[in-house]
Amino acid sequence: YEDLGVKEYFIFDPLEEWLRPPLRGYRRQGDSLEQFVPLREEPGLQVFFSQVLGLELHGSLRFLRWVDPRTGRSLFTVREAYAQADVEKARAEAAEAEAARLRSEIERLRGTRGAP
């Protein structure tokens, strides 16, 4: 990674087979990459700040989570993003069906207005 000019990278070992604690961060210092300390460290949790992304990387034994430090909100994982897209698609389809039902009801009411 040094030869490629990478500015920072993280290594995660969720099973702690090679790393304890399971997350490490490396940042470019001149021509080399140096390990850097977490922003916060608690039992079972490490928090690193990515200068490149402007995000916090929260790591524990079984997960990694990117967090926006300005809002405190986690970014979706790919799986969560697809699940959320499915939810939004279902909502949109339900709204379209309701709109079609209402249009039909309006047309029905307009038709009965002109009847004797």
Side-chain angles (χ1 to χ4, degrees):
Y1 294 117
E2 286 178 346
D3 292 344
L4 293 173
V6 170
K7 293 182 182 177
E8 67 183 15
Y9 73 97
F10 299 90
I11 299 174
F12 181 54
D13 176 17
L15 302 177
E16 287 190 307
E17 294 174 326
W18 300 281
L19 296 177
R20 287 180 194 238
L23 181 60
R24 290 195 185 158
Y26 294 84
R27 188 170 287 140
R28 181 161 296 282
Q29 301 292 327
D31 291 336
S32 64
L33 290 163
E34 307 284 332
Q35 186 174 341
F36 67 99
V37 297
L39 184 64
R40 269 191 341 267
E41 201 162 10
E42 305 165 11
L45 176 69
Q46 294 172 279
V47 178
F48 285 87
F49 182 74
S50 169
Q51 293 177 344
V52 173
L53 300 175
L55 299 170
E56 292 178 354
L57 181 58
H58 293 217
S60 74
L61 284 179
R62 298 283 187 251
F63 75 89
L64 284 177
R65 187 62 99 167
W66 287 105
V67 175
D68 184 338
R70 294 168 293 156
T71 64
R73 295 186 64 184
S74 296
L75 278 64
F76 284 139
T77 64
V78 171
R79 183 176 294 160
E80 291 167 339
Y82 278 116
Q84 185 64 33
D86 289 343
V87 167
E88 296 303 326
K89 181 180 177 186
R91 283 184 186 157
E93 288 170 353
E96 288 173 15
E98 179 64 6
R101 187 190 70 75
L102 291 172
R103 280 192 298 274
S104 176
E105 182 68 12
I106 289 169
E107 289 304 314
R108 185 186 69 75
L109 292 172
R110 283 183 180 159
T112 59
R113 214 186 296 161

